[in-house]
Amino acid sequence: MTSEVSAPAVQAGGPGATAAAVPRRLIGMDRDDFAALIDDLGEKRFRANQLWQWVYGRGATSFDAMTTLAKSLRAALNGCADLARPAVADDRLSEDTTRKWLFRFPDGELVETVYIPTEERGTLCMSSQVGCTLTCSFCHTGTQRLVRNLTAGEIVGQLMASRDALGEWALPSQDRLVTNIVMMGMGEPLFNFDNVKKALRIIMDPEGLAVSKRRITLSTSGVVPMMARCGEEIGVNLAVSLHAVRDDLRDELVPLNRKYPIAELLDACRAYPGVHNARRITFEYVMLRGINDSEADARELVRLLRGIPAKTNLIPFNPWPGAPYECSTPEAIARFAEIVNAGGLSAPVRAPRGRDIGAACGQLRTASVRKRKKL
Ligand code: SAH
Ligand code: SF4
């Protein structure tokens, strides 16, 4: 896995300085990076905080708009830094108001980000990788061959560009449109831990993008060795893609299970830092007709999760071209939910959103492989 390439240092003059240094991309820089930049420019430290608020708190898209900064500092920033977001390659609105953006990064790679508004909240589903190295058999993203990690800037950039498109920077914080974030788009976030951590810490900063950790959920297919660090160092809510109650079936659906089987995964959940009854782990369970949706499976799910502060989320399977599964019948889903509920676990069925624009869970897959081949 690649990790973020650090931005080149600002050329502050002196031997070897070039007039045309590569601009430093501010989106994705954390507070330490901001302080280092301000030091390099010979400015006082409090300027770093002012710059932070302009960039992440107000979403400024030009240095000239940063009126509390001296003109000389704005000119210096214009010469050495940029505020670039990913480009919008496509923007689709579903008939159910779900919106999906296809974002393009400077190297031409593409990811998808989905905005799902409901009465109570607006959830942004963000990607952590281009494609995914895992090959869950029911997931379209897993069929995409080309994979790379997103940088912290590319992760934060999805939120910034979504806020730009929704026109929400000017809105008072209580009227925000993006209130919640789920790392449930393309990719396995715990395979890109450093960049996801850096990005989420920027996003959680109360003087900037200010999305609280209680409103952020990271979904993993079960990267057991990284789960404790996720709780300790990021502190967000955890969702685990379980999908099966027996190892033989989970090996097939989520091949990572061969490395980290169900018992180990559940041990890591029991030990997840900060988990308690008010802060439960969500177990995602995709409903596949005739595969994992029997009454016996539901009873076994209840048994397995006993003693873990847990809730479940039943996800009707979203089809994609060539998918080898069908969605469970509404009756089977209702019966499954009833048994899980009766076992004391909340078991809401996730309403599919944005199916008409290919924005629902598991439907995300960019055409970056094909596009690259055409070049
Ligand atoms: N890689 C992470 C996060 C992204 S997937 C993970 O696997 O958890 C987000 C959720 O969508 C996961 O629970 C995943 O199992 C589910 N999913 C994938 N394909 C799906 C499909 N075709 N229909 C419904 N849910 C799907
Ligand atoms: Fe990757 Fe998650 Fe899809 Fe599995 S379900 S292939 S881990 S994105």
Side-chain angles (χ1 to χ4, degrees):
M1 293 290 142
T2 55
S3 66
E4 187 167 24
V5 181
S6 57
V10 170
Q11 309 271 323
T18 55
V22 182
R24 289 180 72 159
R25 186 135 296 172
L26 294 202
I27 307 297
M29 283 179 32
D30 63 13
R31 282 195 178 266
D32 289 346
D33 299 329
F34 270 55
L37 172 69
I38 288 295
D39 285 353
D40 286 347
L41 294 173
E43 294 278 340
K44 294 222 168 60
R45 270 293 173 87
F46 77 97
R47 296 290 179 199
N49 199 37
Q50 285 183 318
L51 182 60
W52 182 269
Q53 290 175 18
W54 279 111
V55 174
Y56 291 128
R58 301 172 72 165
T61 50
S62 86
F63 295 113
D64 297 330
M66 301 182 179
T67 46
T68 57
L69 304 183
K71 276 207 172 123
S72 55
L73 175 54
R74 285 185 249 160
L77 288 166
N78 266 321
C80 71
D82 74 35
L83 296 160
R85 288 85 154 116
V88 179
D90 195 14
D91 182 349
R92 288 179 192 215
L93 189 62
S94 159
E95 54 201 22
D96 69 15
T97 71
T98 299
R99 189 164 169 184
K100 180 173 84 167
W101 294 280
L102 180 65
F103 290 126
R104 183 185 295 115
F105 301 117
D107 67 352
E109 290 305 346
L110 300 157
V111 296
E112 292 179 317
T113 305
V114 182
Y115 175 64
I116 310 141
T118 64
E119 295 265 302
E120 315 83 61
R121 63 179 76 98
T123 303
L124 194 69
C125 178
M126 306 211 305
S127 295
S128 57
Q129 299 182 305
V130 175
C132 185
T133 48
L134 298 171
T135 50
C136 302
S137 52
F138 53 87
C139 174
H140 204 196
T141 307
T143 65
Q144 183 171 328
R145 287 211 326 277
L146 192 79
V147 179
R148 79 160 169 84
N149 278 340
L150 297 187
T151 64
E154 289 167 342
I155 298 169
V156 177
Q158 293 172 63
L159 172 57
M160 307 278 295
S162 303
R163 282 200 173 159
D164 293 345
L166 292 166
E168 74 163 320
W169 292 107
L171 299 177
S173 58
Q174 68 273 14
D175 295 339
R176 258 198 210 152
L177 300 172
V178 177
T179 59
N180 291 57
I181 289 178
V182 292
M183 295 301 297
M184 292 189 187
M186 299 165 64
E188 169 48 60
L190 295 188
F191 276 170
N192 186 16
F193 185 81
D194 291 344
N195 292 332
V196 167
K197 171 180 160 184
K198 185 173 183 183
L200 290 181
R201 289 173 78 130
I202 292 168
I203 287 171
M204 291 188 286
D205 189 294
E207 285 185 308
L209 291 157
V211 182
S212 108
K213 65 178 182 182
R214 294 183 197 293
R215 291 178 171 272
I216 301 178
T217 301
L218 181 149
S219 175
T220 181
S221 56
V223 185
V224 166
M226 299 308 292
M227 284 168 56
R229 284 189 64 194
C230 175
E232 273 154 22
E233 297 174 32
I234 313 179
V236 293
N237 301 313
L238 187 70
V240 171
S241 295
L242 189 62
H243 306 316
V245 292
R246 300 187 322 271
D247 279 323
D248 60 342
L249 180 59
R250 194 162 189 274
D251 283 351
E252 221 176 89
L253 300 179
V254 185
L256 188 66
N257 193 67
R258 296 185 200 138
K259 204 158 179 193
Y260 308 117
I262 293 173
E264 277 181 38
L265 177 59
L266 296 183
D267 281 346
C269 291
R270 278 183 202 96
Y272 189 70
V275 69
H276 47 75
N277 281 340
R279 203 144 186 253
R280 294 164 183 269
I281 294 178
T282 303
F283 288 88
E284 295 160 285
Y285 197 95
V286 65
M287 299 300 301
L288 303 171
R289 185 171 186 167
I291 304 281
N292 65 354
D293 61 353
S294 72
E295 297 187 8
D297 287 321
R299 284 192 292 273
E300 180 59 7
L301 182 61
V302 171
R303 196 192 66 79
L304 276 180
L305 299 185
R306 202 160 284 147
I308 302 177
K311 53 189 173 187
T312 64
N313 204 329
L314 306 181
I315 316 176
F317 170 67
N318 290 308
W320 38 273
Y325 302 106
E326 283 176 278
C327 184
S328 305
T329 62
E331 297 73 38
I333 297 178
R335 182 76 192 119
F336 198 98
E338 210 176 274
I339 295 170
V340 176
N341 270 318
L345 288 161
S346 106
V349 178
R350 190 182 291 175
R353 295 285 305 258
R355 271 186 177 172
D356 55 330
I357 55 166
C361 304
Q363 291 185 322
L364 306 184
R365 183 193 194 280
T366 61
S368 56
V369 177
R370 262 177 290 132
K371 286 209 167 123
R372 270 169 80 97
K373 279 188 178 157
K374 263 195 227 149
L375 290 174

